[in-house]
Amino acid sequence: LAKTTQPISMDSYEGQEVNITCSHNNIATNDYITWYQQFPSQGPRFIIQGYKTKVTNEVASLFIPADRKSSTLSLPRVSLSDTAVYYCLVGDMRGFQKLVFGTGTRLLVSP
Amino acid sequence: DAGVIQSPRHEVTEMGQEVTLRCKPISGHDYLFWYRQTMMRGLELLIYFNNNVPIDDSGMPEDRFSAKMPNASFSTLKIQPSEPRDSAVYFCASSGRGVGNQPQHFGDGTRLSIL
């Protein structure tokens, strides 16, 4: 399993763009990158998944450079409700692989 | 669509008692997972099922823990006897085909307190 490293915490203000970077230096060829979001008293929630280049959905964008050794989750114009823990995970797409949640990044959005 | 449903949401009991946590996965999902979350250890996978069959229980902390999935729409996680160190939030999740290509959908968890 590819190990991931992300900042423990980040602070932002409402309306700003937030970029959370995750390092996964030993990512394998068949690994995909997935991000989850967890609010207090709730289970993690899938945000976005990608393999390379850029993926965008209604919630976030995921930027993956050519070497795929890192990825950046971009949250445009955050609001107070984006305060949560964000987890970066790497896993094989060919078949089942257990998810390993690290410590995640605790994002605090202030007014 | 109904998400993953867990019950109870909160459970407080005395050590030594049997605890049963319940989970109803999303209809049509093939995989079911049980996780435990604590401040010290984060989110840990305890066991997972594929098509109602337990595949990997290597994350189950000890024999006091057991999990069953009698049918595609129901699973239980049982702790007997319970101990204070079992206090945690227990999550159930389900997914369509596999971790690598389908996101896992989590329930809101059961907050377990063992006194």
Side-chain angles (χ1 to χ4, degrees):
Chain A
L1 294 174
K3 179 179 169 59
T4 60
T5 303
Q6 36 181 144
I8 293 176
S9 64
M10 294 182 68
D11 295 321
S12 183
Y13 293 97
E14 283 189 291
Q16 289 188 334
E17 178 184 77
V18 171
N19 296 308
I20 305 174
T21 297
C22 178
S23 297
H24 27 79
N25 291 318
N26 59 340
I27 188 169
T29 302
N30 293 297
D31 285 344
Y32 270 64
I33 301 152
T34 309
W35 286 80
Y36 283 79
Q37 172 192 55
Q38 185 177 24
F39 297 114
S41 303
Q42 294 185 25
R45 183 174 71 102
F46 170 84
I47 301 177
I48 197 167
Q49 184 178 70
Y51 182 79
K52 61 181 180 180
T53 62
K54 177 183 175 182
V55 179
T56 297
N57 61 24
E58 65 278 5
V59 177
S61 294
L62 179 59
F63 298 91
I64 306 169
D67 65 5
R68 304 197 329 119
K69 293 184 183 300
S70 67
S71 59
T72 298
L73 175 72
S74 181
L75 306 172
R77 298 179 298 281
V78 295
S79 64
L80 298 178
S81 61
D82 291 316
T83 293
V85 178
Y86 293 82
Y87 297 96
C88 164
L89 298 97
V90 174
D92 196 328
M93 285 295 289
R94 291 174 298 177
F96 180 73
Q97 187 176 48
K98 294 189 291 188
L99 284 182
V100 178
F101 285 81
T103 55
T105 297
R106 189 171 299 273
L107 173 65
L108 175 62
V109 180
S110 301
Chain B
D1 283 342
V4 174
I5 300 172
Q6 292 186 245
S7 64
R9 287 299 312 275
H10 303 273
E11 175 89 12
V12 180
T13 190
E14 294 185 347
M15 65 177 295
Q17 298 297 309
E18 178 179 288
V19 173
T20 300
L21 311 181
R22 298 172 176 79
C23 174
K24 177 179 170 56
I26 292 174
S27 178
H29 279 187
D30 296 335
Y31 286 86
L32 183 138
F33 313 85
W34 282 101
Y35 289 86
R36 177 173 68 175
Q37 186 171 38
T38 61
M39 288 294 292
M40 291 294 294
R41 301 176 68 90
L43 198 60
E44 306 172 278
L45 177 64
L46 301 177
I47 185 172
Y48 74 90
F49 296 80
N50 179 216
N51 292 321
N52 312 337
V53 177
I55 303 301
D56 185 345
D57 64 355
S58 61
M60 296 285 261
E62 46 196 281
D63 292 345
R64 297 184 297 105
F65 286 70
S66 63
K68 295 182 179 180
M69 192 166 186
N71 57 62
S73 59
F74 183 66
S75 176
T76 59
L77 178 67
K78 186 173 294 187
I79 308 173
Q80 167 63 20
S82 58
E83 297 182 5
R85 59 193 168 120
D86 301 331
S87 297
V89 181
Y90 290 81
F91 290 104
C92 175
S94 68
S95 71
R97 283 186 290 159
V99 170
N101 51 19
Q102 290 291 331
Q104 292 187 18
H105 298 263
F106 285 75
D108 285 337
T110 295
R111 184 172 296 276
L112 178 63
S113 297
I114 308 297
L115 305 177

